[in-house]
Amino acid sequence: MISVIIAAAGKGERAGFEENKVLKELNGMPVLCYSLSAFSECGADEILVTAREEDEKAILPLLAPYPNARLVRGGKTRGQSVYNALKEAKGEIVLVHDAARPFVTKKIIRDCIECVKMHGSGVCALPATDTTVIAKNGEIISSPARESVFTVQTPQGFYKDELLSAYECAVAEGKQFTDESGVYGNYIKPPRLFLGERSNKKLTYPEDFMPAERVGFGVDTHAFYADGEGAPFINFITLGGVRIPSEKILKAHSDGDVLVHALMDALLSAAGLRDIGYYFPDTDEKYRGANSTELLKEVLARVRERGLVPYNVSISVLAETPRLSPHIDSIKQSLSELLQIPAERIGVAAGTNEKLGYVGEKKGITVYAYVQVHEILPCKISVSY
Ligand code: CTP
Ligand code: MG
């Protein structure tokens, strides 16, 4: 049986949010939920989550999807929190993990368990990339050879009875250790390392929570049918997936949703991909009369494959006709559903071109779209959110 202890009873002081950093949302999911999901998918028989009293109300509902998970009251230090949970753990093997490391992968968890079974302990670590030195009073006393220096992460796995007795010794002697490898190493034997991953970083400072941002820009123009040019018998145009009554009809191979076309180009551009003409050529019969919102879904999937999701969009429509202001809210609503972002992060402006040029002469509509996309933070693990 495997017990997992997820340490979540800190204050997150260095991150400086109003709430505990482990409750902070990343891509719509609290930090703590990433490790809950990863460990429960890797066969944890029980998960003990350490929490401060003031966070219990917020954490309890997050455990609801995991029948094997329960709360344990944390202590003043991380070591005390883990010790509290360890006393309640029932497993033969126990893995201890920091909730502040949401990007732990299934491979790391499996390797950790494997390492415990093979060597009696498994401590996730990475070879140091910076040179490290020992200093005293601001002066370097020694420089360990880089090959022998590792930075230690979590999870760290042990046989529960051994780790518990090590912790009991530490408590009896009033000694503090920063992690389990320290306690175990001091009282039992040298812990065994296994190779972690760079992505398994601990979120400590506010900037650790900022996803990388990218921007994209797109423009599209569609012409109206001129009088006598044989426009189809419809009385609307489609913008942002919304049908808008219009005397003039847009020419198009697809449904002529010029707004969605500009938006798709902006999204593809933000992801460093080619344009819509490349992916949906108008020489391809497949796209005749195509519903542009379906194409937008395909574009979003391509962008997501690159590890990116839209964050906000800003759109400007130049149209002398029809009058768009009564339809702006419906367009924003429609885009909000398509892009899965709140309507408050979507701006749609519409204006005429003061009768100047092709727009002013009612010959067509032009749309400019600007998007900001964010990197999906848990790019390595599959979780549903
Ligand atoms: N932790 C804990 N009990 C404590 C202190 C910390 O369970 N008394 C947990 C934290 O919730 C975190 C992990 O241990 O998931 C690693 O600690 P750290 O990154 O230092 O988190 P905080 O202590 O919350 O942050 P800070 O030190 O900036 O206040
Ligand atoms: Mg701390």
Side-chain angles (χ1 to χ4, degrees), residues 235-287:
N235 56 0
F236 62 85
I237 60 170
T238 307
L239 289 182
V242 175
R243 285 186 174 184
I244 292 165
S246 177
E247 281 174 17
K248 293 215 162 246
I249 304 307
L250 290 172
K251 290 182 187 172
H253 182 66
S254 67
D255 62 1
D257 194 330
V258 56
L259 187 154
V260 167
H261 295 176
L263 178 60
M264 288 194 285
D265 267 347
L267 284 161
L268 290 165
S269 175
L273 294 164
R274 299 287 296 269
D275 55 28
I276 48 171
Y278 179 85
Y279 296 111
F280 314 116
D282 61 9
T283 47
D284 190 336
E285 273 310 301
K286 199 165 85 181
Y287 299 116

Side-chain angles (χ1 to χ4, degrees), residues 6-15 20-22 50-51 74-79 81-82 97-101 202-204:
I6 301 183
K11 292 188 189 145
E13 269 175 341
R14 283 167 291 176
N20 182 348
K21 66 182 177 182
V22 304
T50 71
K76 277 207 165 53
T77 63
R78 182 187 171 284
S81 297
V82 172
H97 184 67
D98 290 334
R101 290 187 195 272
K202 185 158 75 72
L203 305 181
T204 306

Side-chain angles (χ1 to χ4, degrees), residues 2-205:
I2 293 176
S3 299
V4 173
I5 296 173
I6 301 183
K11 292 188 189 145
E13 269 175 341
R14 283 167 291 176
F17 304 126
E18 257 174 43
E19 61 196 346
N20 182 348
K21 66 182 177 182
V22 304
L23 292 167
K24 180 88 181 155
E25 288 202 353
L26 285 181
N27 295 321
M29 194 164 90
V31 166
L32 169 63
C33 295
Y34 289 93
S35 28
L36 274 172
S37 155
F39 282 96
S40 75
E41 282 178 37
C42 286
D45 297 294
E46 64 170 3
I47 302 180
L48 301 136
V49 179
T50 71
R52 290 186 304 158
E53 188 174 7
E54 42 281 57
D55 288 335
E56 281 182 2
K57 233 170 98 185
I59 291 182
L60 211 49
L62 306 181
L63 307 190
Y66 307 100
N68 300 337
R70 64 180 195 278
L71 277 182
V72 177
R73 182 66 57 79
K76 277 207 165 53
T77 63
R78 182 187 171 284
Q80 279 170 13
S81 297
V82 172
Y83 179 53
N84 290 353
L86 207 50
K87 284 187 284 187
E88 291 195 19
K90 296 189 189 75
E92 186 196 7
I93 288 176
V94 64
L95 310 188
V96 183
H97 184 67
D98 290 334
R101 290 187 195 272
F103 310 133
V104 59
T105 60
K106 291 182 193 163
K107 179 177 185 314
I108 290 180
I109 298 171
R110 281 191 220 107
D111 288 354
C112 183
I113 297 170
E114 205 50 38
C115 193
V116 176
K117 288 183 179 165
M118 299 246 310
H119 305 284
S121 58
V123 172
C124 188
L126 279 180
T129 47
D130 293 330
T131 297
T132 51
V133 298
I134 311 284
K136 203 172 174 184
N137 302 328
E139 285 178 355
I140 295 176
I141 320 173
S142 66
S143 320
R146 194 153 79 192
E147 315 79 76
S148 61
V149 177
F150 288 79
T151 51
V152 173
Q153 309 182 328
T154 66
Q156 301 186 4
F158 306 88
Y159 283 102
K160 199 267 309 286
D161 291 343
E162 283 188 335
L163 186 63
L164 184 59
S165 68
Y167 258 105
E168 273 159 0
C169 296
V171 170
E173 293 180 8
K175 274 198 184 166
Q176 300 275 358
F177 295 88
T178 53
D179 69 350
E180 290 58 57
S181 71
V183 188
Y184 183 90
N186 197 68
Y187 297 105
I188 310 290
K189 63 175 180 188
R192 176 84 184 197
L193 300 181
F194 72 93
L195 191 63
E197 287 170 30
R198 304 239 161 256
S199 58
N200 183 29
K201 65 172 186 179
K202 185 158 75 72
L203 305 181
T204 306
Y205 295 99

Side-chain angles (χ1 to χ4, degrees), residues 311 332 336 339-346:
Y311 180 78
K332 282 177 62 165
S336 162
L339 298 169
Q340 305 260 292
I341 59 176
E344 303 84 75
R345 285 198 236 136
I346 298 171

